[in-house]
Amino acid sequence: MKLDRRSFLSFVIGGAAGTAVTPLPWKLMDDVSIWSQMWPWTPVPADGAYTYVQSTCTLCPGGCGIAVRKVDKRVVKIEGMAGHPVNDGGICPLGLSGPQMLYSPTRVAGPLKRIGKRGEGKWAKISWDEAVAEVAAKLSDLRESGHPEQLAVFNGAGRGTFSALVDRFMTVYGSPNLVRPATFEDAYEMAVYRMHGQQAMVGFDLENANFVISFGSGVIDGWGSPVRMIRAKSLWKDRKVPLVQVEPRLSNTAAKADRWLPIRPGTEAALALGLANVILSEGLFDRNFVDYYTNGFEAWRKMVLDGFTPEKVAGITGVDKDFIVVLARDFAKAGAGVAICGRGRGATPGGLDEAMAVHSLNALVGAINRKGGVWTLPGNEEVNWPEVETDETAANGMQRPRLDGAGSGTFADARSLPNRFFAAQADGKADPVKALLVMEGNPLYTQPGTETVKKALDRLDLLVSFSSLMDETAAYADLILPNHLYLERYEDVAVATGMATTVIGLAQPVVPPQCNTRHAGDVVLALASAIGGPVADAFGWDGFQACLEETLADDWDALTEKGYVVHVAQPSHWSEAFPTASGRFEFAGGYQPVPIEGDKGAFPLVLVPYDSLRLATGPAANTPFMTKTVGDEVLKGKDVFVEVNPQTAGSAGLGEGQAAVLSTPRGQARVRIHLSEGIMPGLVAMPGGLGHTAYDDYLAGKGVNVNALIGPVEDPASGLDAAWGIQAKLAKA
Amino acid sequence: MSTKDDHGHAVSGDTADKKGGATILLFFILGFAASLAIGWGVFPKLLYSTKPQPFNFDHALHNREVGDCESCHFFREDGTFSGVPTLAQCTDCHADVMGETEDEAIFVNEYVAKEREVPWYVYSRQPDCVFFSHAAHVVKAKMTCESCHGDIGTSTSLKPYQENRITGYSRDIWGYSIAGFKTHTYDRMKMDDCAECHEKAVGSVDRAPAPGVVSRHFRQEVVPAIYPLDRQAATGSSVQTRRDACFVCHK
């Protein structure tokens, strides 16, 4: 017997036959199929109890209630809170994708200190004690040198207790340089201050209006509280309430509006006054309100009747004369019409003349403190802390002028002018600030004119970011003291933005902190304690949570259980509604357009930014999920598309999808062309929210940051940024 | 000469052929036997690795102390089943060392004191794609725990956990018999075992076979049991495919 080729084959065949009657092949097939359907690297949430935590979303000032679904200890989904007065179960794409922020790889894992050059990305991990000591040392130095005003804080947090704590800290420390990002609400509130004589927040009772004119506001593109606005839009459709959208571009809002009036951008105030002209000349205004509660009507009336006839306004705005007349009649006769302003999301304040013209239009039809109209709200009434006792250093510091000039001289009405703050700091002529603490903000990305902001930051000795994620400002900072993310901390949202009732929401910890972070409120208290003296004495709380509990005392139980409380504002009696010199509503304002930046000869086109719910433009940046929802005609690969009218593109020799170089006086960028009949000729529209340089591969390097191409333009009347665009040119790439 | 030679050659050729044939057969049998030995003997030993549990757990003792299975393996308020108790549940009683066993010491020192969940190996863990509702079986159909989990409740020690090296799941799912034979209902927990029990519970249902690749039992018994005949399932429960609903049990 020898092992030849035939016997070997026979052995193999025998083996094969034998194998077929063993479980081996069948069991292996089964196991391999199980393995291949359950790849071990596919993440599967841990098994455990399913629970919901009621909280409030603080990613924008909208104040939506959220119900956060957890499996065991992990957040798996965020839903809108059913029955919540703001969003009643609805949620926006940003709020929905909160878990991607919570578990993001770009979370700042703990306190960091820069060891390379600014923005180089070289960090050393430090302990919380070291981090607080380092900031406190710099702050103590500034105070001891007699210049506490050289500390500035950029605080993007809402109107809650945390912001009140920061205000208190700055007062007792002695620096007036507390800067907040400005939005259309700043311009509108300033208009209200001039016309009502009171500092108040404004709310719009849009659910009860029966005719709405939007002067460029992105009703379903993120204006106000986005989910509430989408619900309001649905309600209008059900109740057949007309929405008239005045905007040069066919936005989602314009597409869903009942009438779309394309207008030359920047002339909205003239249109508002043109409507007022028709209402006045045809006697359609609310005589009761005008006669009994207003002042300065005759002078204003004369100005409007002489200067803003439909013919003249048609010439200024490009809107047909007949449309103006018909719209004015419909608006006035509706009985509960209301006009709103603030372009797109309302992130840029806009001209004061515009806010005043729109508010005058509202007053003319009596839509002030009336059902379906504009309401003034008292703001945050929860904070009733004892007065701070300041020392001489602080008192002297608080006497010095703010770097942005707000609150004195020309801009006595203004409370914060971030555009002027960064311009003055970059300019360096005035006494610059030495240290800047950035809380809940990312000015290096969100402020128009990012180059100026960068120059301003370069003049600092110390830039501290409190960001939970590695955003642009954090990446450029000297120290990062990461705050808990909104799903890990207590925070109150004192008033949901744009609502006509005071809705107070509470964000509460849904999960324990995932990183070595600390509540920024606790860090402020720790800094105060480290500085010592009267600064430490001003804060009697053990921690931020204790402070919050004490501040919200009566509402605390309801807030922790339900997540929100509603304070129904008692409308002021008419005799007290307008604390002006005359005791009445003051008609004022006119049309004083602020020219945008750039030479029309060198830059014949106009770049306008636009907003979309799919792109977050604020300090909370896009999540990977949101970026996935952005269409190919907006972002393809790393290329951003600008919308251009075919006529404009044709004269520049550009076609659909072609690459082009977009230049403005502020900079230039490579873009691609998307032809759209839905945009007025001569304009180039670019989406906001792209072009990040920080964060991760899902976001960084995609598209262009429109704020790098547009700079702020100061409104001489308010000091606020009135820029709605910038002169630009397109050339083949 | 040539004839003799031819004859002689012919004879020796026949013998060689017979011998050769026997050799080939022998090798066939050898190959056959070897593969049987590997398939039935070696393969199961290679396929599974034995992993020790973190420490021993005495079900019988606990059962005597607390009285029933539901005290530890309970239904949550929303109807979901809690499964293996969490550390928080255990520490309701075991805040300190309660007995004198070595296992108790390990538990308290390594897990309770350090607030770590015990990384138990779970014998009954199904692949992640399987959706199974304890409530439907235990509460609604009033099945006993033993029908699927056997007599683990009366055991004094945990049996060795055998992990399938390919899938990572317990050997208990396929069953200890590598051929797939079983004597008790709880010996195996594959899809056919679900189908078998559902068939018994529901009885034979006469219905047109739906197209698809799932087993006959499953198509004809399991699905009708879940979807009564008056519902869409009678003609296939998926609106899109008109087939039976795989997603009832497969996530």
Side-chain angles (χ1 to χ4, degrees), chain A residues 521-587:
Chain A
D522 287 327
V523 177
V524 169
L525 293 176
L527 285 174
S529 155
I531 294 167
V535 181
D537 296 341
F539 304 94
W541 303 285
D542 288 341
F544 182 73
Q545 194 183 332
C547 164
L548 194 61
E549 270 184 60
E550 190 188 307
T551 307
L552 298 173
D554 297 340
D555 289 329
W556 181 256
D557 289 343
L559 280 169
T560 43
E561 194 182 319
K562 237 170 59 166
Y564 67 92
V565 289
V566 179
H567 286 188
V568 180
Q570 293 299 323
S572 346
H573 190 269
W574 284 111
S575 62
E576 293 162 7
F578 306 114
T580 52
S582 62
R584 290 169 164 225
F585 178 92
E586 292 283 347
F587 274 107

Side-chain angles (χ1 to χ4, degrees), chain A residues 1-4 6-8 10-28 30-32 34-35 37-38 42 44 47-50 72-73, chain B residues 17 23-40 43 47-48 76 78 80-82 86 117 127-129 164 166-167 169 174 178-179 190 250:
Chain A
M1 190 174 82
K2 67 177 194 285
L3 184 64
D4 55 11
R6 293 169 80 190
S7 354
F8 176 73
S10 173
F11 182 80
V12 170
I13 291 165
T19 305
V21 294
T22 69
L24 189 144
W26 324 111
K27 177 79 174 108
L28 273 184
D30 189 74
D31 285 348
V32 169
I34 291 173
W35 172 72
Q37 287 170 60
M38 258 76 47
T42 305
V44 177
D47 197 17
Y50 309 99
D72 198 23
K73 289 170 187 139
Chain B
D17 277 354
T23 311
I24 287 164
L25 185 65
L26 181 67
F27 273 100
F28 180 86
I29 291 165
L30 276 178
F32 195 85
S35 64
L36 286 186
I38 290 168
W40 290 98
F43 168 65
L47 185 61
Y48 298 103
R76 302 191 190 101
D78 61 358
T80 56
F81 186 65
S82 62
T86 58
E117 290 290 336
D128 293 318
C129 63
N164 187 310
I166 298 171
T167 66
Y169 295 102
W174 178 269
I178 196 72
K190 295 286 290 177
H250 287 265

Side-chain angles (χ1 to χ4, degrees), chain A residues 3 18 27-28 31 42 71 146 157 167 184 247 298 323 355 378 388 403 434 440 512 569 641 659 692 723 728:
Chain A
L3 184 64
K27 177 79 174 108
L28 273 184
D31 285 348
T42 305
V71 175
D167 290 1
F184 89 95
E247 191 180 6
E298 280 311 316
F323 279 168
V388 287
L403 189 56
K434 298 274 178 64
E440 296 301 295
F641 285 74
H692 278 278

Side-chain angles (χ1 to χ4, degrees), chain B residues 51-57 84 102-108 110-111 116-123 158-161:
Chain B
K51 301 217 163 172
Q53 294 281 11
F55 54 88
N56 186 41
F57 182 88
V84 180
E102 195 186 321
D103 299 310
E104 175 74 15
I106 297 174
F107 174 56
V108 172
E110 291 298 310
Y111 301 100
R116 286 167 56 203
E117 290 290 336
V118 184
W120 295 115
Y121 290 107
V122 183
Y123 305 103
L158 294 175
K159 64 184 174 182
Y161 178 87

Side-chain angles (χ1 to χ4, degrees), chain A residues 427-452:
Chain A
D427 185 31
K429 280 183 199 148
D431 193 14
V433 300
K434 298 274 178 64
L436 175 67
L437 313 182
V438 178
M439 295 161 175
E440 296 301 295
N442 182 14
L444 195 47
Y445 177 83
T446 58
Q447 285 291 314
T450 46
E451 268 308 307
T452 307

Side-chain angles (χ1 to χ4, degrees), chain B residues 56-64 154-158:
Chain B
N56 186 41
F57 182 88
D58 188 337
H59 269 96
L61 175 72
H62 284 82
N63 223 337
R64 279 197 302 279
T154 55
S155 66
T156 54
S157 63
L158 294 175

